Amino acid sequence: MPGFRTFVFVCLSLQGLVLLQAQQGIDPTSIMLAARQALGGDKRMAAVKTIVATGRTRQVRGDNLVPIEFEIAIELPDRYVRTDEIPAQESGPTRRGFNGAGLIQFPDAAAPPPRGAPPPPARAGAPPPPGPGRPGGPPPAPVDPVTALKQDFTRLTLGMFATSFSSYPLTFASGGVAEAPEGKADVIDVKGPANFSARLFIDSQTHLPLMVSWPAAAVGAATPPPENRIYYADYRDVDGLRFPFRIRRASGATTTEETTFDRFRINAKIDPKKFEVRK
């Protein structure tokens, strides 16, 4: 899609990348620790209580790129909401998130899913499609909206903290090493509640997260659909932490949207009304 920037290293398209199984056991704990050190270290991360991020997303809808302005508010470990507004439309902002087990949703009607290559990966703040099913088999059990939002929150924050939170605990295991002409990446297999499954790619040299990939739903398809991917790039210092200021989402090699962050504010005061759950 014209207008999207090219990402480098493993983030290009993974064409030609070879996943090598480790000859000897690789300790996933040390890999994740090195990633957290590269992102700022456990001590600084533990001091983070809230995050407010603003920016814009360009989302593919048919032949158009739709600009979306957003604000993300996070109160760790279990409050998250993303507010989206499309300047070209007269409709007001939409808000999606979770407060513990409660769903944050405004307007009350369900927001339409992002459009792109089917099945599209949801942006942060919008529920992704159900988990993977078998081609030609029965549809997978639907994931409830709060769990879906927590899963997408997890994919976003893996590139920011390289860890999980009590609101959605994860386990990590070694998935081998990925090799491309540009270099190598350590691969971490990630598992979580509600059949959550993903692979986290971490640059073997810089130890920064590069990408997370996860299987797409395959409901009634003759062939498995391409996997979903989130690429992290343009890491910058924010109060001693390093956050990715660009995120690209793709279905296989096809870009579905690109997000650019303008600003991250750490430990800013957040109006409790942002996390209000309507009964």
Side-chain angles (χ1 to χ4, degrees):
M1 172 59 62
F4 281 111
R5 299 186 183 98
T6 301
F7 280 51
V8 294
F9 188 54
V10 178
C11 300
L12 288 172
S13 65
L14 296 194
Q15 297 295 332
L17 182 144
V18 178
L19 183 62
L20 307 175
Q21 296 300 322
Q23 297 299 317
Q24 297 179 349
I26 298 177
D27 180 15
T29 302
S30 62
I31 294 173
M32 298 299 287
L33 176 60
R36 292 195 299 276
Q37 286 298 113
L39 290 167
D42 286 334
K43 184 176 181 179
R44 284 194 177 96
M45 290 181 180
V48 176
K49 305 303 179 184
T50 69
I51 301 170
V52 177
T54 55
R56 62 194 56 84
T57 292
R58 293 185 299 169
Q59 189 179 93
V60 178
R61 294 189 181 180
D63 294 329
N64 299 316
L65 281 175
V66 177
I68 302 169
E69 296 181 355
F70 69 85
E71 179 192 80
I72 292 174
I74 300 171
E75 186 175 304
L76 296 172
D78 61 355
R79 293 183 175 184
Y80 165 85
V81 65
R82 170 167 169 155
T83 303
D84 285 342
E85 189 165 5
I86 301 176
Q89 295 183 1
E90 296 182 357
S91 59
T94 61
R95 185 178 299 131
R96 299 276 288 172
F98 58 86
N99 183 342
L103 175 66
I104 302 170
Q105 182 169 271
F106 178 83
D108 291 333
R115 296 171 62 183
R123 64 182 182 273
R134 293 174 297 175
V143 177
D144 70 90
V146 172
T147 298
L149 285 161
K150 288 185 176 183
Q151 290 179 347
D152 209 49
F153 167 81
T154 295
R155 299 180 189 111
L156 172 67
T157 53
L158 277 172
M160 300 165 62
F161 293 97
T163 190
S164 64
F165 300 98
S166 59
S167 58
Y168 202 79
L170 303 172
T171 61
F172 304 103
S174 174
V177 176
E179 187 174 90
E182 297 86 352
K184 294 182 179 181
D186 295 306
V187 182
I188 299 295
D189 288 330
V190 185
K191 302 289 185 182
N195 296 318
F196 180 87
S197 177
R199 275 185 165 174
L200 177 64
F201 292 73
I202 299 173
D203 190 315
S204 299
Q205 294 297 317
T206 67
H207 306 296
L208 293 172
L210 293 168
M211 182 189 80
V212 63
S213 67
W214 69 100
V219 181
T223 59
E227 67 181 4
N228 294 320
R229 299 169 181 171
I230 296 177
Y231 301 106
Y232 315 105
D234 192 16
Y235 280 90
R236 304 181 197 174
D237 181 86
V238 180
D239 296 342
L241 298 171
R242 298 185 72 184
F243 285 162
F245 273 69
R246 282 194 291 138
I247 292 177
R248 180 165 69 90
R249 290 176 180 260
S251 177
T254 302
T255 296
T256 58
E257 67 176 40
E258 183 181 273
T259 292
T260 301
F261 291 92
D262 294 330
R263 185 184 182 190
F264 289 92
R265 289 184 292 149
I266 306 299
N267 292 333
K269 185 176 181 179
I270 301 175
D271 186 346
K273 292 182 179 179
K274 289 185 180 290
F275 301 113
E276 182 179 2
V277 176
R278 298 192 177 188
K279 302 299 184 180

